[in-house]
Amino acid sequence: MAPERDAEGNLQPDPDRFPGGIAALADYVHGRGLKLGIYESAGTTTCEGLPGSLDHEEQDAQTFATWGVDYLKYDNCGNEGRPAYDRYKGDGRRAGRDRAGDRLQHL
């Protein structure tokens, strides 16, 4: 990921590491019959200090889906000490699963 979100708050691919973007990488990987996974965190930052998904869960899930990401490794760095229930309760719950978590599962 790039070290900052764009003006609309979207995650951005690191232009040096992924000059063609994540979607192009996903196309390349899928073209070889493989799946693509990506790493993110439930906090304000990832363990590496890059932008995390805290308060951007739905937006980031949409971004990953748009990029063609198949799997998500979701960590808990930078969570600001907020319990998971507090972070996700605004998303509502159905079938015992957070809505954002449900969306991430189906990427």
Side-chain angles (χ1 to χ4, degrees):
M1 287 308 149
E4 295 184 6
R5 291 176 176 272
D6 69 14
E8 288 80 37
N10 295 306
L11 291 170
Q12 307 176 88
D14 182 311
D16 295 325
R17 292 182 181 178
F18 307 103
I22 303 295
L25 176 62
D27 288 344
Y28 176 85
V29 169
H30 293 151
R32 278 140 188 82
L34 302 171
K35 304 274 186 182
L36 178 69
I38 201 163
Y39 165 81
E40 189 50 75
S41 183
T44 56
T45 61
T46 66
C47 297
E48 190 180 0
L50 297 171
S53 289
L54 186 62
D55 299 324
H56 293 271
E57 291 87 359
E58 193 79 19
Q59 181 177 15
D60 292 352
Q62 271 306 125
T63 297
F64 299 145
T66 299
W67 287 346
V69 172
D70 302 295
Y71 296 105
L72 175 66
K73 188 326 188 167
Y74 206 49
D75 216 330
N76 200 31
C77 290
N79 67 34
E80 304 294 309
R82 287 168 55 188
Y85 178 77
D86 292 344
R87 291 181 302 205
Y88 301 119
K89 69 181 177 183
D91 288 336
R93 298 179 67 84
R94 59 176 188 235
R97 181 180 286 139
D98 300 316
R99 192 173 73 166
D102 189 41
R103 168 150 308 166
L104 293 172
Q105 179 183 356
H106 296 289
L107 288 180

